Amino acid sequence: QVHLVESGGGLVQAGGSLRLSCVVSGSTYVVNVMGWYRQAPGKPRELVAHIASGGTTEYSDSVKGRFTISRDNGKNAVHLQMDGLKPEDTGVYYCNSDISTNWGTPLVDYWGQGTQVTVSS
């Protein structure tokens, strides 16, 4: 059974920093793209950033220059360094990855349980 386990959320003042981490547990064969999404109250879930297995990254325009995504393929982990946080960054942050658990099996989308990030003004 594959699980994505997130950590690192919390409460921070505007301008502060937080670092989110997500580790894939369970047996995996391929861990493809890994990423972070967020959902603010009353809004749909949106992409924050993702990173391919080879290291190619993509960021939403709202976080470019402030957030940095990285991954450790040996540990099946992805991190999100968030600097210059703004109140509008508040929301539940979800880790996401598409993973194959065995040779010949398709990639399946997995989600973490979410971690709350609150930025006070």
PDB file of all heavy atoms in Angstrom, residues 3 9 40 47 50 52 54 61 63 68 73-75 79 95-96 98 111 114:
ATOM      1  N   HIS A   3       1.499   5.230   0.452  1.00  0.00           N
ATOM      2  CA  HIS A   3       0.987   6.408   1.144  1.00  0.00           C
ATOM      3  C   HIS A   3       1.947   7.562   0.945  1.00  0.00           C
ATOM      4  O   HIS A   3       3.162   7.365   0.876  1.00  0.00           O
ATOM      5  CB  HIS A   3       0.834   6.144   2.651  1.00  0.00           C
ATOM      6  CG  HIS A   3      -0.177   5.112   2.987  1.00  0.00           C
ATOM      7  ND1 HIS A   3      -1.536   5.347   2.977  1.00  0.00           N
ATOM      8  CD2 HIS A   3      -0.028   3.808   3.330  1.00  0.00           C
ATOM      9  CE1 HIS A   3      -2.173   4.243   3.309  1.00  0.00           C
ATOM     10  NE2 HIS A   3      -1.289   3.297   3.530  1.00  0.00           N
ATOM     11  N   GLY A   9       3.764  21.812   7.850  1.00  0.00           N
ATOM     12  CA  GLY A   9       2.857  22.951   7.827  1.00  0.00           C
ATOM     13  C   GLY A   9       2.858  23.686   9.150  1.00  0.00           C
ATOM     14  O   GLY A   9       3.516  23.290  10.108  1.00  0.00           O
ATOM     15  N   ALA A  40      -7.426  26.733  -0.874  1.00  0.00           N
ATOM     16  CA  ALA A  40      -7.876  27.746   0.076  1.00  0.00           C
ATOM     17  C   ALA A  40      -9.373  27.561   0.300  1.00  0.00           C
ATOM     18  O   ALA A  40     -10.074  27.005  -0.555  1.00  0.00           O
ATOM     19  CB  ALA A  40      -7.582  29.135  -0.463  1.00  0.00           C
ATOM     20  N   LEU A  47      -2.559  23.846  -8.609  1.00  0.00           N
ATOM     21  CA  LEU A  47      -1.162  23.438  -8.628  1.00  0.00           C
ATOM     22  C   LEU A  47      -0.295  24.554  -8.053  1.00  0.00           C
ATOM     23  O   LEU A  47      -0.442  25.719  -8.412  1.00  0.00           O
ATOM     24  CB  LEU A  47      -0.712  23.132 -10.054  1.00  0.00           C
ATOM     25  CG  LEU A  47       0.782  22.855 -10.239  1.00  0.00           C
ATOM     26  CD1 LEU A  47       1.170  21.524  -9.610  1.00  0.00           C
ATOM     27  CD2 LEU A  47       1.147  22.886 -11.723  1.00  0.00           C
ATOM     28  N   HIS A  50       5.439  21.434  -9.431  1.00  0.00           N
ATOM     29  CA  HIS A  50       5.752  20.023  -9.548  1.00  0.00           C
ATOM     30  C   HIS A  50       7.131  19.835 -10.144  1.00  0.00           C
ATOM     31  O   HIS A  50       7.711  20.760 -10.726  1.00  0.00           O
ATOM     32  CB  HIS A  50       4.667  19.230 -10.267  1.00  0.00           C
ATOM     33  CG  HIS A  50       4.436  19.608 -11.693  1.00  0.00           C
ATOM     34  ND1 HIS A  50       3.234  19.407 -12.319  1.00  0.00           N
ATOM     35  CD2 HIS A  50       5.241  20.134 -12.626  1.00  0.00           C
ATOM     36  CE1 HIS A  50       3.318  19.799 -13.569  1.00  0.00           C
ATOM     37  NE2 HIS A  50       4.524  20.251 -13.777  1.00  0.00           N
ATOM     38  N   ALA A  52       9.582  16.805 -12.138  1.00  0.00           N
ATOM     39  CA  ALA A  52       9.682  15.509 -12.793  1.00  0.00           C
ATOM     40  C   ALA A  52      10.830  14.701 -12.191  1.00  0.00           C
ATOM     41  O   ALA A  52      11.673  15.234 -11.469  1.00  0.00           O
ATOM     42  CB  ALA A  52       9.902  15.706 -14.291  1.00  0.00           C
ATOM     43  N   GLY A  54      13.385  13.656 -13.528  1.00  0.00           N
ATOM     44  CA  GLY A  54      14.678  14.146 -13.997  1.00  0.00           C
ATOM     45  C   GLY A  54      15.048  15.519 -13.463  1.00  0.00           C
ATOM     46  O   GLY A  54      16.154  16.009 -13.720  1.00  0.00           O
ATOM     47  N   ASP A  61       2.354  30.852 -11.400  1.00  0.00           N
ATOM     48  CA  ASP A  61       2.859  32.224 -11.466  1.00  0.00           C
ATOM     49  C   ASP A  61       2.852  32.890 -10.097  1.00  0.00           C
ATOM     50  O   ASP A  61       3.705  33.730  -9.798  1.00  0.00           O
ATOM     51  CB  ASP A  61       2.016  33.041 -12.448  1.00  0.00           C
ATOM     52  CG  ASP A  61       2.276  32.653 -13.894  1.00  0.00           C
ATOM     53  OD1 ASP A  61       3.315  32.021 -14.167  1.00  0.00           O
ATOM     54  OD2 ASP A  61       1.429  32.971 -14.747  1.00  0.00           O
ATOM     55  N   VAL A  63       3.648  31.822  -7.240  1.00  0.00           N
ATOM     56  CA  VAL A  63       4.704  31.459  -6.286  1.00  0.00           C
ATOM     57  C   VAL A  63       6.104  31.532  -6.899  1.00  0.00           C
ATOM     58  O   VAL A  63       7.095  31.336  -6.191  1.00  0.00           O
ATOM     59  CB  VAL A  63       4.473  30.048  -5.693  1.00  0.00           C
ATOM     60  CG1 VAL A  63       3.081  29.933  -5.101  1.00  0.00           C
ATOM     61  CG2 VAL A  63       4.731  28.955  -6.716  1.00  0.00           C
ATOM     62  N   THR A  68      10.485  27.043  -3.779  1.00  0.00           N
ATOM     63  CA  THR A  68      11.415  26.165  -4.482  1.00  0.00           C
ATOM     64  C   THR A  68      11.052  24.722  -4.177  1.00  0.00           C
ATOM     65  O   THR A  68      10.967  24.323  -3.009  1.00  0.00           O
ATOM     66  CB  THR A  68      12.859  26.413  -4.033  1.00  0.00           C
ATOM     67  OG1 THR A  68      13.200  27.787  -4.238  1.00  0.00           O
ATOM     68  CG2 THR A  68      13.819  25.539  -4.831  1.00  0.00           C
ATOM     69  N   ASN A  73      15.293  11.489  -4.978  1.00  0.00           N
ATOM     70  CA  ASN A  73      14.801  10.260  -5.595  1.00  0.00           C
ATOM     71  C   ASN A  73      15.172   9.019  -4.773  1.00  0.00           C
ATOM     72  O   ASN A  73      14.413   8.045  -4.746  1.00  0.00           O
ATOM     73  CB  ASN A  73      15.337  10.123  -7.018  1.00  0.00           C
ATOM     74  CG  ASN A  73      14.705  11.135  -7.970  1.00  0.00           C
ATOM     75  OD1 ASN A  73      13.575  11.579  -7.759  1.00  0.00           O
ATOM     76  ND2 ASN A  73      15.434  11.512  -8.996  1.00  0.00           N
ATOM     77  N   GLY A  74      16.291   9.067  -4.104  1.00  0.00           N
ATOM     78  CA  GLY A  74      16.710   7.922  -3.300  1.00  0.00           C
ATOM     79  C   GLY A  74      15.798   7.669  -2.114  1.00  0.00           C
ATOM     80  O   GLY A  74      15.656   6.535  -1.651  1.00  0.00           O
ATOM     81  N   LYS A  75      15.160   8.727  -1.643  1.00  0.00           N
ATOM     82  CA  LYS A  75      14.261   8.610  -0.489  1.00  0.00           C
ATOM     83  C   LYS A  75      12.794   8.754  -0.883  1.00  0.00           C
ATOM     84  O   LYS A  75      11.920   8.760  -0.014  1.00  0.00           O
ATOM     85  CB  LYS A  75      14.610   9.680   0.554  1.00  0.00           C
ATOM     86  CG  LYS A  75      16.002   9.521   1.139  1.00  0.00           C
ATOM     87  CD  LYS A  75      16.298  10.585   2.182  1.00  0.00           C
ATOM     88  CE  LYS A  75      17.690  10.396   2.782  1.00  0.00           C
ATOM     89  NZ  LYS A  75      18.012  11.434   3.780  1.00  0.00           N
ATOM     90  N   HIS A  79      10.189  18.123  -1.473  1.00  0.00           N
ATOM     91  CA  HIS A  79      10.167  19.212  -0.503  1.00  0.00           C
ATOM     92  C   HIS A  79       9.705  20.490  -1.184  1.00  0.00           C
ATOM     93  O   HIS A  79       9.919  20.675  -2.393  1.00  0.00           O
ATOM     94  CB  HIS A  79      11.562  19.424   0.084  1.00  0.00           C
ATOM     95  CG  HIS A  79      12.188  18.175   0.613  1.00  0.00           C
ATOM     96  ND1 HIS A  79      11.806  17.591   1.799  1.00  0.00           N
ATOM     97  CD2 HIS A  79      13.147  17.368   0.085  1.00  0.00           C
ATOM     98  CE1 HIS A  79      12.519  16.494   1.996  1.00  0.00           C
ATOM     99  NE2 HIS A  79      13.340  16.334   0.965  1.00  0.00           N
ATOM    100  N   CYS A  95       0.378  16.921  -1.083  1.00  0.00           N
ATOM    101  CA  CYS A  95       1.420  16.289  -1.880  1.00  0.00           C
ATOM    102  C   CYS A  95       0.762  15.353  -2.900  1.00  0.00           C
ATOM    103  O   CYS A  95      -0.261  14.704  -2.600  1.00  0.00           O
ATOM    104  CB  CYS A  95       2.343  15.492  -0.956  1.00  0.00           C
ATOM    105  SG  CYS A  95       3.677  14.616  -1.775  1.00  0.00           S
ATOM    106  N   ASN A  96       1.322  15.283  -4.071  1.00  0.00           N
ATOM    107  CA  ASN A  96       0.759  14.456  -5.135  1.00  0.00           C
ATOM    108  C   ASN A  96       1.868  13.782  -5.914  1.00  0.00           C
ATOM    109  O   ASN A  96       2.933  14.374  -6.127  1.00  0.00           O
ATOM    110  CB  ASN A  96      -0.086  15.323  -6.072  1.00  0.00           C
ATOM    111  CG  ASN A  96      -0.490  14.608  -7.338  1.00  0.00           C
ATOM    112  OD1 ASN A  96       0.170  14.748  -8.372  1.00  0.00           O
ATOM    113  ND2 ASN A  96      -1.552  13.829  -7.263  1.00  0.00           N
ATOM    114  N   ASP A  98       2.378  10.584  -9.222  1.00  0.00           N
ATOM    115  CA  ASP A  98       1.877   9.427  -9.964  1.00  0.00           C
ATOM    116  C   ASP A  98       2.925   8.331  -9.904  1.00  0.00           C
ATOM    117  O   ASP A  98       4.096   8.561 -10.190  1.00  0.00           O
ATOM    118  CB  ASP A  98       1.459   9.771 -11.400  1.00  0.00           C
ATOM    119  CG  ASP A  98       2.462  10.590 -12.158  1.00  0.00           C
ATOM    120  OD1 ASP A  98       3.228  11.325 -11.517  1.00  0.00           O
ATOM    121  OD2 ASP A  98       2.491  10.493 -13.397  1.00  0.00           O
ATOM    122  N   TRP A 111      -2.420  10.901  -3.437  1.00  0.00           N
ATOM    123  CA  TRP A 111      -2.478  12.170  -2.719  1.00  0.00           C
ATOM    124  C   TRP A 111      -2.162  11.955  -1.242  1.00  0.00           C
ATOM    125  O   TRP A 111      -2.531  10.926  -0.663  1.00  0.00           O
ATOM    126  CB  TRP A 111      -3.874  12.791  -2.826  1.00  0.00           C
ATOM    127  CG  TRP A 111      -4.220  13.234  -4.204  1.00  0.00           C
ATOM    128  CD1 TRP A 111      -4.799  12.491  -5.183  1.00  0.00           C
ATOM    129  CD2 TRP A 111      -4.004  14.533  -4.759  1.00  0.00           C
ATOM    130  NE1 TRP A 111      -4.952  13.256  -6.312  1.00  0.00           N
ATOM    131  CE2 TRP A 111      -4.483  14.511  -6.084  1.00  0.00           C
ATOM    132  CE3 TRP A 111      -3.456  15.722  -4.262  1.00  0.00           C
ATOM    133  CZ2 TRP A 111      -4.418  15.626  -6.926  1.00  0.00           C
ATOM    134  CZ3 TRP A 111      -3.404  16.827  -5.096  1.00  0.00           C
ATOM    135  CH2 TRP A 111      -3.875  16.782  -6.409  1.00  0.00           C
ATOM    136  N   GLY A 114      -2.854  16.079   3.353  1.00  0.00           N
ATOM    137  CA  GLY A 114      -2.902  17.537   3.426  1.00  0.00           C
ATOM    138  C   GLY A 114      -2.299  18.074   4.706  1.00  0.00           C
ATOM    139  O   GLY A 114      -2.408  17.451   5.761  1.00  0.00           O
TER     140      GLY A 114
END
